[in-house]
Amino acid sequence: GNSVTQMEGPVTLSEEAFLTINCTYTATGYPSLFWYVQYPGEGLQLLLKATKADDKGSNKGFEATYRKETTSFHLEKGSVQVSDSAVYFCALSDRAGGTSYGKLTFGQGTILTVHP
Amino acid sequence: DVKVTQSSRYLVKRTGEKVFLECVQDMDHENMFWYRQDPGLGLRLIYFSYDVKMKEKGDIPEGYSVSREKKERFSLILESASTNQTSMYLCASSLRGAGYTIYFGEGSWLTVV
């Protein structure tokens, strides 16, 4: 079956530090990969996505590259801000068997706290 | 803007009560989903629906049922609420097919006492 594994959290950084949140996956087919972010008290919103190998998703200074050879989709940002404090979820949507309804399989989430 | 609206943000129910969580989307999406979010476990899929009156079990359907009588509305039903169903419930919708963005509502915090 499909699964997503994220690095253990929580992660605490100072403002302007470099961020990496690791994500690896197992899938039976050809997945699309996503990062979602959840700010305090809110639902999830899409941060970025990549639909095929070697694609790079980017948004709001965050980037992630779809690495099929290492089955990874690590999230990076060069300089974090206090406003980036949130929970980050890695997820995949599989296309195994040529049929997919677009269901997402999520990792467990990583809590990021950025201090001034 | 895509809008997924969950009818209740915070609910407190008693053990054994029947609970309805309602969700409406305004983007004519085929897919609708109900997820449960618990600390350390991420989001787990309860049920999803890819068309009106169609439903499929997700990873944790036990103790839940769903209803989709209209395309824009997807209801989650707890037939007899139990304390282990205390959780955050998230509704979502998308176009059908892999790679499409899934849009989430703000969530419903359910406490069963």
Side-chain angles (χ1 to χ4, degrees):
Chain A
N2 299 331
S3 67
V4 177
T5 303
Q6 291 181 230
M7 66 184 288
E8 295 284 334
V11 175
T12 302
L13 296 172
S14 298
E15 206 164 26
E16 299 184 3
F18 184 84
L19 168 71
T20 300
I21 301 177
N22 289 339
C23 171
T24 58
Y25 67 89
T26 302
T28 52
Y30 305 97
S32 296
L33 301 173
F34 304 80
W35 278 99
Y36 277 81
V37 59
Q38 185 179 36
Y39 297 104
E42 300 183 10
L44 276 71
Q45 55 185 275
L46 179 69
L47 181 59
L48 54 84
K49 70 178 185 181
T51 57
K52 62 183 187 295
D54 299 325
D55 270 2
K56 177 185 282 188
S58 61
N59 186 26
K60 299 181 181 179
F62 291 88
E63 293 183 341
T65 301
Y66 188 141
R67 301 286 188 199
K68 188 177 180 183
E69 64 276 10
T70 55
T71 62
S72 65
F73 193 55
H74 304 322
L75 182 68
E76 296 182 337
K77 187 175 186 182
S79 176
V80 294
Q81 306 300 312
V82 172
S83 57
D84 293 326
S85 297
V87 183
Y88 292 81
F89 291 93
C90 186
L92 71 82
S93 174
D94 202 357
R95 287 171 287 188
T99 302
S100 173
Y101 296 111
K103 294 183 293 178
L104 286 175
T105 300
F106 285 88
Q108 71 271 36
T110 301
I111 300 172
L112 171 66
T113 303
V114 180
H115 293 297
Chain B
D1 276 358
V2 175
K3 189 79 172 171
V4 179
T5 303
Q6 296 183 228
S7 57
S8 303
R9 289 298 307 274
Y10 302 97
L11 305 93
V12 179
K13 298 292 182 181
R14 296 194 180 277
T15 300
E17 274 193 77
K18 191 169 186 176
V19 180
F20 293 87
L21 299 179
E22 307 286 347
C23 175
V24 176
Q25 51 95 3
D26 66 357
M27 284 302 293
D28 202 35
H29 285 164
E30 295 92 354
N31 288 348
M32 294 190 76
F33 307 85
W34 276 105
Y35 284 89
R36 173 176 170 162
Q37 182 179 6
D38 298 289
L41 297 177
L43 276 74
R44 294 177 291 168
L45 181 64
I46 304 171
Y47 269 97
F48 75 101
S49 169
Y50 53 89
D51 205 346
V52 175
K53 297 190 186 295
M54 306 303 290
K55 60 184 179 183
E56 293 282 341
K57 292 180 180 179
D59 300 317
I60 52 163
E62 295 78 20
Y64 304 94
S65 62
V66 290
S67 173
R68 190 154 181 213
E69 297 296 319
K70 293 185 178 181
K71 190 174 186 179
E72 68 271 18
R73 187 178 298 270
F74 192 37
S75 303
L76 180 69
I77 304 157
L78 287 66
E79 296 290 342
S80 177
S82 64
T83 55
N84 63 12
Q85 292 179 309
T86 291
S87 189
M88 163 81 125
Y89 291 88
L90 287 161
C91 177
S93 73
S94 74
L95 293 170
R96 189 183 304 164
Y100 289 110
T101 299
I102 292 183
Y103 296 89
F104 285 83
E106 292 190 325
S108 298
W109 285 97
L110 172 66
T111 302
V112 183
V113 297

